[in-house]
Amino acid sequence: MLTKELSMSVNVTEAARTEVLELMKGSGYKNPALRINMNGFGWGGPRLGLVLDELEENEEHVLKVNDVNVIYDGRLKNYIDLKNGITIDFRKDRWGSGFVILGGSTC
């Protein structure tokens, strides 16, 4: 079941939306979602990762952002500036392309 969690702010840019939706089409998942994982800590706060995953009915921290289902680790609320939240972007430059997570760490 998709629930709205209003205390965490996540933004998905148009560039990221386009790339994620294209990846979701070919994923084979019935109900695909972008999962934000917390992968330990660095000197500036939590280290975050992105994974394309299946949205399960019992997921607790889910947002629908710019047509993308986003699942996030509930522990992030302790380490992210909730007012400014995080932004998921997709960038292409002369060194390559990929997703970037920008966010206001409280650390």
Side-chain angles (χ1 to χ4, degrees):
M1 172 171 68
L2 186 63
T3 59
K4 291 283 185 180
E5 180 71 40
L6 299 176
S7 60
M8 180 73 175
S9 174
V10 177
N11 179 44
V12 177
T13 66
E14 191 58 35
R17 175 188 176 275
T18 301
E19 293 296 324
V20 168
L21 292 178
E22 191 62 32
L23 289 171
M24 287 179 169
K25 284 181 191 176
S27 71
Y29 289 124
K30 191 175 192 177
N31 198 4
L34 190 62
R35 183 179 296 276
I36 304 171
N37 289 323
M38 195 166 89
N39 300 320
F41 290 88
W43 63 267
R47 292 184 182 178
L48 304 178
L50 295 174
V51 179
L52 193 58
D53 203 355
E54 182 76 43
L55 179 61
E56 302 291 335
E57 284 191 38
N58 62 349
E59 297 287 354
E60 290 184 40
H61 305 288
V62 180
L63 297 166
K64 183 94 168 185
V65 183
N66 206 3
D67 296 326
V68 175
N69 289 326
V70 178
I71 307 166
Y72 67 89
D73 187 319
R75 297 175 296 172
L76 285 175
K77 293 189 289 185
N78 298 320
Y79 303 104
I80 297 294
D81 176 0
L82 295 177
K83 180 181 174 190
N84 296 319
I86 61 175
T87 297
I88 300 168
D89 194 10
F90 185 84
R91 297 185 178 169
K92 291 183 183 181
D93 58 30
R94 63 181 176 199
W95 296 283
S97 61
F99 290 95
V100 178
I101 303 172
L102 308 166
S105 172
T106 59
C107 298

